[in-house]
Amino acid sequence: MMDDSLVSEYAEYNDAILLVIIAAAQVPEIASSLALRVAKEYDGDGTRTVGVISKIDQASADQKALAAVQALLLNQGSPKTADIPWVALIGQSVSIATAQSGSEISLETAWRAESESLKSILIGAPQSQLGRIALADDLAQLIRKRMKVRVPNLLSGSVQLTRKVSNSLG
Protein backbone atom coordinates (compact mmCIF):
# COMPACT_ATOMS: atom_id res chain seq x y z
CA MET A 1 0.00 0.00 0.00
CA MET A 2 1.26 3.45 -0.92
CA ASP A 3 1.61 6.18 1.75
CA ASP A 4 0.03 9.19 0.02
CA SER A 5 1.67 11.78 2.28
CA LEU A 6 5.13 10.30 1.74
CA VAL A 7 4.62 10.11 -2.02
CA SER A 8 3.38 13.71 -2.24
CA GLU A 9 6.20 14.94 0.02
CA TYR A 10 8.76 13.81 -2.55
CA ALA A 11 6.78 14.00 -5.79
CA GLU A 12 5.90 17.67 -5.36
CA TYR A 13 9.57 18.67 -5.64
CA ASN A 14 10.15 19.80 -9.20
CA ASP A 15 13.60 18.18 -9.21
CA ALA A 16 12.31 14.72 -8.22
CA ILE A 17 12.28 12.01 -10.88
CA LEU A 18 9.13 9.94 -10.74
CA LEU A 19 9.16 6.23 -11.53
CA VAL A 20 5.84 4.68 -12.49
CA ILE A 21 6.38 0.98 -11.80
CA ILE A 22 3.77 -1.49 -12.97
CA ALA A 23 3.88 -5.27 -13.21
CA ALA A 24 3.59 -6.59 -16.76
CA ALA A 25 0.42 -8.51 -15.89
CA GLN A 26 -1.23 -5.18 -14.91
CA VAL A 27 -0.31 -3.29 -18.10
CA PRO A 28 -3.65 -4.02 -19.84
CA GLU A 29 -5.31 -1.94 -17.07
CA ILE A 30 -2.60 0.76 -16.91
CA ALA A 31 -5.06 3.58 -17.62
CA SER A 32 -6.53 3.04 -14.15
CA SER A 33 -3.16 2.65 -12.40
CA LEU A 34 -2.76 4.64 -9.18
CA ALA A 35 0.95 5.14 -9.87
CA LEU A 36 0.17 6.63 -13.28
CA ARG A 37 -2.50 8.94 -11.81
CA VAL A 38 -0.06 10.17 -9.15
CA ALA A 39 2.64 10.81 -11.76
CA LYS A 40 0.19 12.74 -13.94
CA GLU A 41 -0.91 14.79 -10.92
CA TYR A 42 2.64 15.89 -10.07
CA ASP A 43 4.17 15.81 -13.58
CA GLY A 44 1.39 16.53 -16.05
CA ASP A 45 3.74 17.00 -19.01
CA GLY A 46 5.81 13.88 -18.26
CA THR A 47 9.16 15.67 -18.26
CA ARG A 48 10.38 14.03 -15.07
CA THR A 49 8.68 10.65 -15.21
CA VAL A 50 10.00 7.27 -16.40
CA GLY A 51 7.79 4.20 -16.66
CA VAL A 52 9.06 0.79 -15.59
CA ILE A 53 7.26 -2.40 -16.60
CA SER A 54 8.45 -5.09 -14.23
CA LYS A 55 8.17 -8.87 -14.07
CA ILE A 56 8.04 -9.43 -17.83
CA ASP A 57 9.32 -12.97 -17.22
CA GLN A 58 6.36 -13.74 -14.96
CA ALA A 59 3.90 -12.64 -17.66
CA SER A 60 5.64 -14.41 -20.55
CA ALA A 61 2.74 -16.86 -21.00
CA ASP A 62 0.06 -14.13 -20.83
CA GLN A 63 -0.44 -13.04 -24.45
CA LYS A 64 -2.83 -10.22 -23.50
CA ALA A 65 -0.28 -8.74 -21.09
CA LEU A 66 2.59 -9.13 -23.57
CA ALA A 67 0.56 -7.45 -26.32
CA ALA A 68 -0.21 -4.54 -23.97
CA VAL A 69 3.48 -4.29 -22.98
CA GLN A 70 4.51 -4.27 -26.66
CA ALA A 71 1.96 -1.53 -27.41
CA LEU A 72 3.21 0.55 -24.48
CA LEU A 73 6.86 0.19 -25.54
CA LEU A 74 5.92 1.18 -29.11
CA ASN A 75 4.00 4.22 -27.80
CA GLN A 76 0.72 2.72 -28.99
CA GLY A 77 -0.82 2.22 -25.56
CA SER A 78 -3.24 4.37 -23.62
CA PRO A 79 -3.09 8.08 -24.50
CA LYS A 80 -2.38 8.67 -20.79
CA THR A 81 1.00 6.97 -21.22
CA ALA A 82 2.13 8.64 -24.46
CA ASP A 83 4.44 11.26 -22.92
CA ILE A 84 6.28 8.82 -20.64
CA PRO A 85 9.32 6.80 -21.76
CA TRP A 86 8.85 3.13 -20.82
CA VAL A 87 11.40 0.41 -20.04
CA ALA A 88 10.74 -3.32 -19.57
CA LEU A 89 12.52 -5.37 -16.88
CA ILE A 90 12.51 -8.98 -15.75
CA GLY A 91 12.88 -10.24 -12.20
CA GLN A 92 16.34 -9.64 -10.75
CA SER A 93 16.71 -13.26 -9.67
CA VAL A 94 16.11 -14.42 -13.23
CA SER A 95 18.78 -12.15 -14.71
CA ILE A 96 21.31 -13.15 -12.09
CA ALA A 97 20.55 -16.87 -12.42
CA THR A 98 20.78 -16.63 -16.20
CA ALA A 99 24.13 -14.86 -16.04
CA GLN A 100 25.81 -17.04 -13.44
CA SER A 101 29.07 -18.47 -14.59
CA GLY A 102 30.70 -20.32 -11.74
CA SER A 103 30.26 -18.56 -8.41
CA GLU A 104 30.92 -14.95 -9.42
CA ILE A 105 28.71 -12.66 -11.45
CA SER A 106 29.03 -9.04 -12.45
CA LEU A 107 26.09 -6.68 -12.65
CA GLU A 108 26.98 -5.95 -16.25
CA THR A 109 26.80 -9.66 -17.10
CA ALA A 110 23.44 -9.95 -15.31
CA TRP A 111 22.06 -6.88 -17.07
CA ARG A 112 23.16 -8.12 -20.48
CA ALA A 113 21.56 -11.51 -19.77
CA GLU A 114 18.38 -9.70 -18.77
CA SER A 115 18.39 -7.80 -22.04
CA GLU A 116 18.80 -11.05 -24.00
CA SER A 117 15.94 -12.67 -22.08
CA LEU A 118 13.73 -9.68 -22.77
CA LYS A 119 14.53 -9.80 -26.49
CA SER A 120 13.36 -13.41 -26.59
CA ILE A 121 10.11 -12.63 -24.73
CA LEU A 122 9.28 -9.27 -26.36
CA ILE A 123 10.17 -10.02 -29.96
CA GLY A 124 9.99 -6.82 -31.99
CA ALA A 125 10.12 -4.46 -29.02
CA PRO A 126 12.62 -1.60 -29.28
CA GLN A 127 15.90 -2.89 -27.82
CA SER A 128 16.58 0.59 -26.44
CA GLN A 129 13.72 0.02 -23.99
CA LEU A 130 14.71 -3.38 -22.65
CA GLY A 131 16.53 -3.98 -19.38
CA ARG A 132 18.30 -2.14 -16.62
CA ILE A 133 20.87 -0.66 -18.98
CA ALA A 134 17.99 0.98 -20.88
CA LEU A 135 16.56 2.24 -17.58
CA ALA A 136 19.91 3.76 -16.62
CA ASP A 137 20.14 5.38 -20.07
CA ASP A 138 16.61 6.82 -19.79
CA LEU A 139 17.31 8.20 -16.33
CA ALA A 140 20.60 9.74 -17.48
CA GLN A 141 18.87 11.33 -20.49
CA LEU A 142 16.11 12.73 -18.28
CA ILE A 143 18.68 14.19 -15.86
CA ARG A 144 20.61 15.77 -18.75
CA LYS A 145 17.44 17.36 -20.14
CA ARG A 146 16.48 18.73 -16.74
CA MET A 147 19.98 20.09 -16.16
CA LYS A 148 19.90 21.93 -19.50
CA VAL A 149 16.83 23.75 -18.25
CA ARG A 150 17.93 24.28 -14.66
CA VAL A 151 21.61 25.27 -15.02
CA PRO A 152 20.99 28.45 -17.08
CA ASN A 153 18.38 29.52 -14.52
CA LEU A 154 20.81 28.90 -11.67
CA LEU A 155 23.58 30.79 -13.46
CA SER A 156 21.26 33.70 -14.19
CA GLY A 157 20.21 33.81 -10.55
CA SER A 158 23.80 33.73 -9.32
CA VAL A 159 24.78 36.57 -11.69
CA GLN A 160 21.91 38.69 -10.36
CA LEU A 161 22.88 37.89 -6.77
CA THR A 162 26.52 38.77 -7.49
CA ARG A 163 25.44 42.13 -8.92
CA LYS A 164 23.31 42.87 -5.87
CA VAL A 165 26.17 42.00 -3.52
CA SER A 166 28.62 44.07 -5.60
CA ASN A 167 26.27 47.06 -5.63
CA SER A 168 25.69 46.88 -1.89
CA LEU A 169 29.45 46.64 -1.20
CA GLY A 170 30.57 49.20 -3.70
Side-chain angles (χ1 to χ4, degrees):
M1 181 166 209
M2 195 166 26
D3 180 350
D4 292 344
S5 64
L6 184 62
V7 169
S8 63
E9 179 181 339
Y10 290 99
E12 68 189 7
Y13 289 108
N14 193 36
D15 289 331
I17 294 175
L18 307 178
L19 294 177
V20 174
I21 302 173
I22 185 163
Q26 302 303 314
V27 171
E29 291 85 34
I30 194 166
S32 62
S33 162
L34 176 60
L36 184 61
R37 282 197 312 264
V38 169
K40 290 296 186 178
E41 177 182 340
Y42 290 101
D43 181 31
D45 58 2
T47 59
R48 59 189 184 104
T49 302
V50 173
V52 177
I53 309 163
S54 66
K55 303 178 183 177
I56 298 292
D57 54 311
Q58 293 177 17
S60 63
D62 183 344
Q63 292 307 309
K64 180 181 175 187
L66 290 181
V69 168
Q70 288 273 22
L72 194 58
L73 292 173
L74 294 168
N75 204 20
Q76 298 169 351
S78 166
K80 293 180 180 182
T81 64
D83 56 352
I84 298 173
W86 290 91
V87 175
L89 305 178
I90 62 173
Q92 181 63 26
S93 60
V94 173
S95 64
I96 288 175
T98 302
Q100 278 185 335
S101 56
S103 61
E104 288 195 29
I105 178 173
S106 71
L107 280 179
E108 183 178 353
T109 302
W111 290 357
R112 292 201 189 290
E114 174 188 41
S115 181
E116 292 304 315
S117 293
L118 285 164
K119 286 179 200 174
S120 69
I121 296 169
L122 297 170
I123 298 167
Q127 292 184 16
S128 63
Q129 293 173 268
L130 302 179
R132 284 165 177 77
I133 294 172
L135 177 58
D137 288 345
D138 278 1
L139 290 172
Q141 183 179 17
L142 190 114
I143 291 168
R144 278 193 295 276
K145 283 181 184 175
R146 298 206 45 86
M147 285 178 63
K148 284 181 182 178
V149 171
R150 300 279 294 163
V151 169
N153 293 340
L154 291 172
L155 292 174
S156 173
S158 67
V159 168
Q160 290 173 0
L161 183 59
T162 302
R163 285 185 188 143
K164 286 180 183 178
V165 170
S166 293
N167 290 341
S168 67
L169 294 175

